[in-house]
Amino acid sequence: MQRIALFGPPATGKTTLARWLSAELGHPHTDLDNLLFTPDGPLPLEEFRHQAGEIARQDEWIVEGNFSQLADVVWHRADVLVWLDFPLALIVYRIVRRSLCQLTGREDSAQARRLTWSKAFLSRRSLLRTAIRKYRRNRPRYARQVAETADLGVEVVRLHSPREAQCWKRGLMKGLMENRSQEPGATGP
């Protein structure tokens, strides 16, 4: 696995998994949110696609973000596409928990410093309402796009729960350990 794309709704653990993969595999990690949202505001779509495409042209990378409009630029160039397709109830729980931690000052991050009660829960475009709306609206489209990506020969891993994600990670680690022990010059047990 040299090129890995991860996507899924908010609060599914994309960043945590991407960082873990980056550390284990030694591949650079890019969070597409950090690419899109600049201090001057979001990039225009064409510039966003161009910059994401430049990253995806490299030999090794891990890219995470919920941007299916970049499927042809990122997903189709991946060796593995990981879809964190967790249940809506779990996502809602995690968004509420994370937002409360950020709003009460228990988590310090750029996102936490910008978050307000209205942005988290109260407005029509709050994080919570947007996550629910997008979950319901986007899942059928994601399924079609993931199938198209698989048809191009990209391995697709669809994880339905944190438990499945942990099992996948354990299997991946086992495979990595076996590969490392079979490398020339590796010492046996």
Side-chain angles (χ1 to χ4, degrees):
M1 284 193 304
Q2 303 299 311
R3 297 175 307 274
I4 305 167
L6 294 100
F7 84 101
T12 52
K14 294 181 298 291
T15 300
T16 301
L17 181 56
R19 287 180 180 158
W20 179 84
L21 286 165
S22 179
E24 290 300 320
L25 299 173
H27 301 343
H29 161 237
T30 301
D31 179 338
L32 291 173
D33 280 344
N34 293 339
L35 192 65
L36 175 62
F37 297 108
T38 72
D40 299 325
L43 292 174
L45 180 58
E46 283 309 310
E47 179 61 22
F48 183 41
R49 288 175 56 80
H50 173 74
Q51 288 190 24
E54 288 299 313
I55 292 165
R57 283 183 186 80
Q58 305 303 312
D59 292 334
E60 297 177 338
W61 47 263
I62 297 165
V63 170
E64 56 114 341
N66 203 29
F67 296 98
S68 62
Q69 69 266 36
L70 300 179
D72 61 320
V73 176
V74 177
W75 296 5
H76 296 173
R77 294 178 180 163
D79 299 322
V80 178
L81 175 64
V82 179
W83 180 6
L84 298 172
D85 186 24
F86 294 0
L88 180 58
L90 177 61
I91 292 166
V92 166
Y93 168 76
R94 286 180 164 190
I95 289 172
V96 169
R97 185 182 69 193
R98 181 171 66 187
S99 296
L100 289 174
C101 285
Q102 291 173 339
L103 288 165
T104 58
R106 289 183 283 173
E107 179 185 315
D108 186 34
S109 66
Q111 179 180 351
R113 289 187 291 276
R114 291 189 313 267
L115 193 62
T116 64
W117 287 94
S118 181
K119 287 180 182 175
F121 304 116
L122 305 174
S123 72
R124 284 190 67 222
R125 300 184 60 82
S126 70
L127 293 173
L128 185 58
R129 287 183 182 189
T130 299
I132 292 168
R133 184 177 57 253
K134 285 186 173 185
Y135 183 92
R136 292 180 174 150
R137 185 182 70 209
N138 293 345
R139 279 182 88 228
R141 182 171 45 85
Y142 290 159
R144 287 189 305 275
Q145 287 181 291
V146 166
E148 291 168 6
T149 302
D151 288 344
L152 295 171
V154 176
E155 177 186 350
V156 172
V157 177
R158 186 173 180 180
L159 303 170
H160 295 93
S161 69
R163 182 180 306 242
E164 282 187 15
Q166 287 299 323
C167 289
W168 182 72
K169 283 172 59 176
R170 279 194 296 277
L172 186 61
M173 279 303 300
K174 183 178 178 185
L176 289 172
M177 297 298 279
E178 289 172 0
N179 287 344
R180 288 177 184 153
S181 69
Q182 295 173 3
E183 290 177 358
T187 57

